[in-house]
Amino acid sequence: MNHKRRDLFLYQLIRSISSVIAASDIYTVHHQNNVSVIARMIGQEMRLSAFEVEGIRVAGLLHDIGKSAIPNELLSKYGHLTAEEYALIKTHAARADGLLFGIDFPWPVREMILQHHERMDGSGYPNGLMGNEICLGARILAVSDITDAMMNARPYRGALGIEKVISELADNSHLYDPDVCKAFMAIVADGGERLKNAIHIIY
């Protein structure tokens, strides 16, 4: 398969996956789209190559695909999760890795997705990686993911806003890549207007 046909196939596959997920969980589709946009903006701000940025963007579009194997009533549950419920949700990164096994991505998409909940101090999951053990794309997805999760409403709370995101990244700087955070802060230096105009927000 030549590169153009492979790329066309990959993007068709991504659209099909999104359509399947949307049938039962439209929030995850919106979230993945938003994370993809935020990750692209961060990558561009960090002056990564267009090829690298596109790979991170694609990983953002698929990063929560593993949640398709988690009961929807658990993902949209009101109130606090039990320890057992949270442990089940945490399997979504590894489930995504399994679901995407065998797809010939031109970027390390599976690695980025598997690692997007790892944290710089080793407190993340699924493998407790630290610092540069975590690939750069996953470190960008980590900031993009928490940004969109906080800026959008969930069944158990309203949208928290860009100020809360900034506080999260500052107060827990040991969790996130400092260069990624620096790029993010440059993006929201206008009060977050450019970011808010780029993504879909549910209040």
Side-chain angles (χ1 to χ4, degrees):
M1 184 182 294
N2 63 40
H3 290 306
K4 287 186 178 180
R5 290 187 63 191
R6 181 184 66 178
D7 292 347
L8 177 61
F9 168 75
L10 283 174
Y11 291 119
Q12 289 173 336
L13 178 63
I14 291 167
R15 284 195 295 271
S16 295
I17 291 170
S18 293
S19 296
V20 171
I21 295 173
S24 61
D25 185 9
I26 192 64
Y27 170 81
T28 294
V29 174
H30 284 314
H31 173 64
Q32 292 190 138
N33 288 340
N34 285 347
V35 168
S36 176
V37 170
I38 298 166
R40 174 181 55 78
M41 294 173 74
I42 293 174
Q44 290 172 337
E45 184 67 31
M46 295 179 72
R47 303 293 189 266
L48 301 183
S49 71
F51 179 79
E52 289 174 299
V53 170
E54 181 62 3
I56 296 166
R57 187 189 75 82
V58 168
L61 285 172
L62 295 170
H63 77 281
D64 272 349
I65 184 178
K67 288 183 177 176
S68 62
I70 307 294
N72 196 48
E73 60 269 21
L74 192 57
L75 298 174
S76 58
K77 179 182 175 180
Y78 287 82
H80 293 293
L81 297 170
T82 66
E84 292 78 13
E85 289 169 337
Y86 183 52
L88 179 58
I89 287 179
K90 286 170 64 176
T91 66
H92 76 276
R95 289 172 185 264
D97 186 60
L99 288 170
L100 297 174
F101 180 80
I103 298 177
D104 183 22
F105 291 103
W107 317 275
V109 167
R110 286 177 56 213
E111 183 180 13
M112 288 187 268
I113 293 174
L114 181 63
Q115 296 178 6
H116 78 277
H117 280 291
E118 301 286 359
R119 295 295 179 257
M120 296 295 284
D121 66 349
S123 64
Y125 64 86
N127 295 313
L129 302 181
M130 297 181 67
N132 289 335
E133 293 176 344
I134 308 165
C135 68
L136 177 58
R139 285 178 264 154
I140 291 174
L141 289 180
V143 172
S144 306
D145 185 48
I146 195 67
T147 296
D148 186 67
M150 295 181 73
M151 290 186 68
N152 271 285
R154 295 298 288 132
Y156 49 85
R157 62 154 173 80
L160 299 177
I162 190 63
E163 295 81 9
K164 289 287 188 181
V165 177
I166 293 171
S167 294
E168 163 66 20
L169 297 180
D171 295 344
N172 295 291
S173 59
H174 58 290
L175 301 179
Y176 307 104
D177 183 290
D179 292 331
V180 175
C181 290
K182 180 180 178 182
F184 177 80
M185 293 305 178
I187 292 167
V188 299
D190 62 352
E193 288 305 310
R194 179 159 68 104
L195 181 63
K196 285 184 258 187
N197 289 333
I199 64 176
H200 178 79
I201 300 178
I202 303 170
Y203 291 98

